[in-house]
Amino acid sequence: MAIEIAFVDDEVTLHKIFDLKFRKEISGGRYIFHHFMDGSECYDFFKLNSNSTNIKILFSDITMPKMDGFTLVKKLRSEYPDLIIYMASALDLEEYNKRAKDIGNLKLFSKPFDFEEMKDEIENVIQKLGL
């Protein structure tokens, strides 16, 4: 069974890199990525598909236009408490890490991404959920 993952970032190239870095898992049917360019696009998707979405994991950038990652996570956390959330930032600020933990995110990834670390996190979630 595939695990569905939302990836939210305003950098177009990162979406392509994710698909390349996880191509084996995607082509093997293990991961399904849903790509969003900003928080509002992701939030709208969840609202429109609230009864049918199977997204279990969210990776969100913090600094984005329209709706930043903190606002997105606050909204989704209240409506989808079981969603497993990770945040990312190119800025290594202790304040971001504190704010991210305060709103219920599991981990703050720094950019550039360590894709092996991300894969380990995803696999841990799969194991925990029994998928």
Side-chain angles (χ1 to χ4, degrees), residues 104-122:
N105 130 40
L106 294 177
K107 182 174 189 163
L108 180 66
F109 283 92
S110 62
K111 292 180 178 180
F113 290 109
D114 177 338
F115 289 99
E116 287 304 313
E117 182 182 13
M118 294 180 91
K119 191 180 296 185
D120 288 344
E121 288 289 330
I122 295 168

Side-chain angles (χ1 to χ4, degrees), residues 1-103:
M1 178 179 211
I3 187 161
E4 294 188 41
I5 303 164
F7 179 66
V8 189
D9 199 296
D10 59 327
E11 294 181 51
V12 174
T13 55
L14 277 178
H15 294 275
K16 293 175 183 176
I17 291 169
F18 258 73
D19 285 343
L20 287 172
K21 292 290 185 178
F22 295 109
R23 70 183 172 275
K24 179 179 170 188
E25 292 80 7
I26 293 168
S27 66
R30 186 143 175 89
Y31 300 171
I32 297 171
F33 277 98
H34 299 270
H35 294 279
F36 305 98
M37 295 303 296
D38 61 60
S40 63
E41 187 181 316
C42 179
Y43 183 71
D44 289 347
F45 176 85
F46 271 86
K47 293 303 287 180
L48 290 171
N49 298 285
S50 62
N51 294 326
S52 62
T53 186
N54 289 317
I55 294 174
K56 303 289 186 209
I57 300 174
L58 172 79
F59 286 99
S60 178
D61 187 22
I62 293 174
T63 307
M64 297 178 289
K66 295 185 185 176
M67 181 187 295
D68 67 40
F70 287 124
T71 303
L72 171 65
V73 169
K74 284 179 189 174
K75 287 183 168 202
L76 291 177
R77 177 60 66 215
S78 66
E79 297 175 38
Y80 304 93
D82 295 332
L83 184 64
I84 297 166
I85 298 173
Y86 299 97
M87 298 185 82
S89 177
L91 305 172
D92 188 23
L93 299 177
E94 193 172 313
E95 179 62 25
Y96 275 179
N97 200 18
K98 182 185 177 326
R99 283 182 65 193
K101 291 209 181 295
D102 287 347
I103 59 175

